[in-house]
Amino acid sequence: MGYVDVAGVRFTLPDGRVLLDDVSFRVGEGACAALVGENGAGKTTLLRIISGDLTPDGGSVARTGGLGVMRQFIGSVRDDTTVQRFLVDLAPPAVREAWDGVEAAELAMMEADDEPTQLAYASALGHWGDVGGYDVEVTWDTVTVAALGVPYDGCKYRELASLSGGEQKRLALECLLRGPDQVLLLDEPDNYLDVPGKRWLESRLIETRKTVLFVSHDRELLARVAGRVVTVEGGGAWVHGGDFASYPAARTARHERMADLRKRWDEEHERLIDLVRTLQQQAKNSPDMAARYHAMQTRLAKYEAAGPPPDRPPDQHVAMRLRGGRTGVRVIVAEQVELTGLMQPFDLDVDYGDRVAVLGSNGAGKSHFLRLLAGQDVAHTGDWRLGARVVPGFFAQTHAHPEWLDRTLVDLLWHGEPGRPGVDRGRAMATLRRYGLAAQGDQLFRSLSGGQQARFQVLLLELSGATLLLLDEPTDNLDVLSAESLEEALGAFDGTVMAVTHDRWFARTFDRFLVFGSDGRVYEAPEPVFDEARVQRTR
Amino acid sequence: MTLALLPGTVSDASVDQAVSRLVVEFGQRLDQQVVVGVVRSCREDLSGTPADALPELVERLARYRLDPAGD
Ligand SMILES: Nc1ncnc2c1ncn2[C@@H]1O[C@H](COP(=O)(O)OP(=O)(O)OP(=O)(O)O)[C@@H](O)[C@H]1O
Ligand SMILES: [Mg+2]
């Protein structure tokens, strides 16, 4: 068993802004606590401070029990990491070290076969055994079978990038939940998971006796799992000791209390200033009053030095706008399309104005289909075409954009790209402001939080003039308010929308449902279908 | 793991297998007792190695010691 104790943590960003100030909370043994807050509030930063990746400018973190960490960007890994390396990196430090020792010794054996090298290899293997490496390999086997349906030996050299986002997440979660670490930090573990996957995660988090601190924007998951809620907002953090059902009321009450305290402080401040002014006048003709005047001045100074209580955090504003434009009536016509090896051939007609949700389990080929329509190179048979004036705009958070990483947002907007005209700084800043990204204008893309990156990608769609939106899991990473804003923007969009989603609440806003069945059949359903066994009506 | 065996008494599958193969390989040049001795000492030096990997490593090390020049 383990716990996490965060005390008085302060963290300043490279540009000098204070992101976190005096953050204190505790996650006790066996507790399952949610960490919530808007995009960019500092949740990931806080988890990185707890895990020791970042050093705070003040305060301290105490914890016991081994620590397992799942990062937000798992699911969009696009480098050449293998499944094996990924599992090794999720293992406790001693296992990781022993593994690296074995690998180094193996390499040395390829170079030289002399006695010291052989003995070093034998001793590395011995060390691997001592740290429980052979048991770990048995666990990995269970993990890959559970997550991917393949034994460890059958997939260890597979590149992680070849797994779908949901499969990557599932692999990490199986590994951490079955592993020895007693404290788990999970940064948006539910992103990219299909609905059965989300339900599985919910039940595992409820069952586990480990101590868990997890970030999520999914209200359904929060409602089912969180026993307490830590909120990062306004540069600080506060804890709601109850579950998520009672959280909104607690937060409102807290904000009202803060506003009230602040109002009282301001009123008292006004009163003291008035008193000082009055006494100053009276002091001119009375030495007695002069003494009272000075005393009152001191009192005011002390009051001001103590400072006002923090005001309630400002409401954030996000107003996404997607314009679109009139196209031909037939938008997508597909005949007997089959993505090689992923599904059986199917026909599809999508008309102007349709809102099509693409549903189905992880790894069914939904993302590949969207990429095909976006004009990317995807192996397939059968015919498909887009109608007149249909300009596809593609959005996928799992798509790596290495060319964006080291450029600022204003710069990316200024230069534009094929199909998206550049805009000047004034227009760029005005648009960024509507997306709650005004403060990030001169930041490098790589330094944005996960949700800020997602918002920026929607912003690029806005500027692109697309008339067919192809969205792959657009609400993942977005905070609740941004997801609502996206939903509104899609409602007002003049054009056609096709979105892959596992977000039960978002799916409800669509009017056609294309299901990629796990048996390889692609069919249309009158209602959202969230798992094989049954068809469910959304709330 | 059964590593607490006394020197000279080590005798297990990894030793037996290595001995029979190496005797075929080196029997022309070396006395069988020499091969057995080298294999046993290799097995001792490799104590602490996981059982699964032992046969291969014992044989490999013994081959190296019996014929340091390599072929
Ligand atoms: N180098 C930097 N310069 C300035 N600001 C930075 C830099 N690196 C990170 N930030 C900012 O730090 C803030 C906190 O980021 P963090 O990733 O912790 O947010 P988060 O709460 O996890 O958000 P999300 O819900 O989007 O994942 C963001 O506003 C981000 O833009
Ligand atoms: Mg984050």
Side-chain angles (χ1 to χ4, degrees):
Chain A
M1 287 282 215
Y3 66 83
V4 175
D5 208 338
V6 176
V9 160
R10 180 183 171 87
F11 189 79
T12 312
L13 291 169
D15 63 8
R17 277 181 299 148
V18 176
L19 181 66
L20 302 170
D21 194 17
D22 198 16
V23 168
S24 303
F25 64 90
R26 182 187 163 89
V27 186
E29 293 199 354
C32 189
L35 182 61
V36 303
E38 61 195 41
N39 292 140
K43 303 178 296 297
T44 297
T45 307
L46 190 52
L47 292 190
R48 295 184 64 201
I49 290 172
I50 296 172
S51 66
D53 287 355
L54 293 174
T55 313
D57 302 314
S60 60
V61 174
R63 56 182 168 81
T64 61
L67 185 72
V69 184
M70 172 161 161
R71 293 171 205 292
Q72 186 170 1
F73 285 101
I74 289 178
S76 53
V77 173
R78 285 291 167 265
D79 56 20
D80 57 3
T81 308
T82 59
V83 165
Q84 182 174 66
R85 184 73 239 171
F86 183 66
L87 293 174
V88 170
D89 286 341
L90 285 169
V95 173
R96 222 152 51 209
E97 222 172 274
W99 176 268
D100 289 341
V102 172
E103 262 200 338
E106 255 167 22
L107 279 180
M109 288 273 277
M110 287 181 204
E111 301 280 311
D113 203 23
D114 55 22
E115 184 163 333
T117 314
Q118 292 195 31
L119 290 176
Y121 178 58
S123 117
L125 282 185
H127 186 49
W128 175 243
D130 291 344
V131 300
Y134 291 96
D135 298 334
V136 171
E137 281 180 297
V138 172
T139 311
W140 286 346
D141 197 53
T142 322
V143 163
T144 59
V145 167
L148 310 172
V150 189
Y152 173 63
D153 273 330
C155 65
K156 59 183 175 186
Y157 299 128
R158 196 163 156 189
E159 285 191 0
L160 204 58
S162 72
L163 301 178
S164 77
E167 288 170 331
Q168 292 181 22
K169 289 275 191 194
R170 183 75 181 250
L171 191 61
L173 286 166
E174 292 277 7
C175 185
L176 291 173
L177 284 162
R178 290 170 195 270
D181 293 322
Q182 286 307 306
V183 178
L184 301 185
L185 304 180
L186 309 176
D187 200 348
E188 310 213 8
D190 51 311
N191 282 350
Y192 313 122
L193 285 184
D194 55 23
V195 174
K198 285 182 205 280
R199 291 193 182 126
W200 165 83
L201 176 63
E202 286 163 7
S203 61
R204 291 305 303 273
L205 287 180
I206 291 167
E207 271 164 36
T208 188
R209 304 188 53 198
K210 296 179 193 263
T211 304
V212 181
L213 179 61
F214 72 99
V215 178
S216 179
H217 301 294
D218 184 322
R219 285 171 296 176
E220 210 146 330
L221 179 78
L222 289 166
R224 273 171 217 229
V225 177
R228 50 176 45 219
V229 184
V230 181
T231 309
V232 183
E233 61 183 354
W238 62 279
V239 180
H240 169 59
D243 62 12
F244 200 68
S246 54
Y247 171 77
R251 181 160 179 254
T252 309
R254 176 185 160 87
H255 287 176
E256 279 167 4
R257 208 162 48 241
M258 288 174 92
D260 194 45
L261 281 175
R262 180 60 175 251
K263 189 162 147 255
R264 274 195 241 157
W265 190 92
D266 288 340
E267 282 167 4
E268 176 67 3
H269 190 210
E270 280 303 310
R271 196 182 69 87
L272 291 178
I273 290 173
D274 283 350
L275 268 174
V276 167
R277 278 207 200 102
T278 316
L279 287 172
Q280 185 183 24
Q281 287 305 322
Q282 294 172 352
K284 283 180 184 153
N285 359 348
S286 150
D288 185 31
M289 283 299 171
R292 286 190 58 190
Y293 166 55
H294 289 304
M296 189 52 73
Q297 262 186 321
T298 313
R299 188 165 155 202
L300 175 62
K302 274 193 191 149
Y303 191 78
E304 285 177 342
D311 207 350
R312 57 168 296 171
D315 285 331
Q316 67 164 351
H317 295 284
V318 178
M320 301 178 171
R321 240 176 252 158
L322 295 162
R323 209 156 292 118
R326 179 81 213 182
T327 65
V329 174
R330 288 248 174 284
V331 174
I332 304 170
V333 180
E335 280 159 14
Q336 292 300 292
V337 165
E338 177 192 354
L339 304 193
T340 320
L342 285 173
M343 82 249 332
Q344 295 162 19
F346 65 98
D347 295 335
L348 178 69
D349 282 309
V350 175
D351 290 347
Y352 167 77
D354 281 357
R355 300 289 188 264
V356 186
V358 181
L359 310 173
S361 56
N362 285 138
K366 306 178 301 295
S367 297
H368 280 80
F369 180 56
L370 230 60
R371 275 184 232 143
L372 175 72
L373 297 179
Q376 295 181 14
D377 208 9
V378 177
H380 70 284
T381 55
D383 287 324
W384 66 276
R385 59 185 186 280
L386 299 181
R389 293 187 302 283
V390 174
V391 182
F394 181 56
F395 170 105
Q397 299 184 54
T398 47
H399 185 245
H401 294 280
E403 72 284 8
W404 293 356
L405 294 178
D406 292 304
R407 296 172 61 190
T408 69
L409 304 192
V410 168
D411 182 48
L412 282 166
L413 294 178
W414 162 257
H415 281 96
E417 58 190 6
R420 177 171 59 78
V423 298
D424 64 24
R425 189 179 171 88
R427 168 106 194 271
M429 287 310 284
T431 316
L432 287 169
R433 193 162 304 118
R434 272 198 291 109
Y435 282 76
L437 295 172
Q440 277 68 46
D442 294 313
Q443 246 171 262
L444 300 182
F445 181 81
R446 72 157 72 244
S447 74
L448 297 187
S449 75
Q452 288 171 336
Q453 292 191 356
R455 286 186 194 174
F456 183 69
Q457 280 173 268
V458 178
L459 186 157
L460 293 181
L461 272 187
E462 167 174 334
L463 295 177
S464 75
T467 54
L468 165 64
L469 300 180
L470 300 167
L471 313 174
D472 196 350
E473 316 255 14
T475 57
D476 279 342
N477 289 305
L478 288 180
D479 60 27
V480 172
L481 185 82
S482 309
E484 279 169 3
S485 176
L486 176 66
E487 189 193 340
E488 248 169 63
L490 291 180
F493 175 70
D494 179 18
T496 310
V497 181
M498 184 178 264
V500 172
T501 187
H502 298 303
D503 182 331
R504 289 160 274 190
W505 160 85
F506 181 65
R508 188 195 52 188
T509 65
F510 285 72
D511 49 41
R512 290 179 62 183
F513 306 95
L514 185 67
V515 185
F516 281 52
S518 54
D519 57 355
R521 211 161 56 86
V522 177
Y523 61 97
E524 238 185 279
E527 296 281 333
V529 174
F530 290 125
D531 55 30
E532 273 81 89
R534 52 200 178 135
V535 179
Q536 292 205 332
R537 272 172 203 284
T538 41
R539 299 178 264 154
Chain B
M1 255 173 271
T2 52
L3 303 172
L5 296 170
L6 291 171
T9 66
V10 174
S11 168
D12 55 29
S14 62
V15 171
D16 301 344
Q17 285 166 19
V19 166
S20 53
R21 265 194 293 268
L22 292 169
V23 162
V24 173
E25 226 173 285
F26 293 94
Q28 299 285 330
R29 277 195 283 133
L30 300 169
D31 194 56
Q32 173 158 354
Q33 276 320 105
V34 175
V35 175
V36 171
V38 168
V39 170
R40 282 200 176 147
S41 78
C42 289
R43 169 66 182 82
E44 273 153 34
D45 292 346
L46 287 169
S47 64
T49 305
D52 277 358
L54 207 50
E56 187 193 330
L57 293 182
V58 166
E59 188 174 327
R60 190 166 178 161
L61 184 60
R63 180 173 293 112
Y64 178 82
R65 284 185 183 169
L66 290 166
D67 185 12
D71 309 88

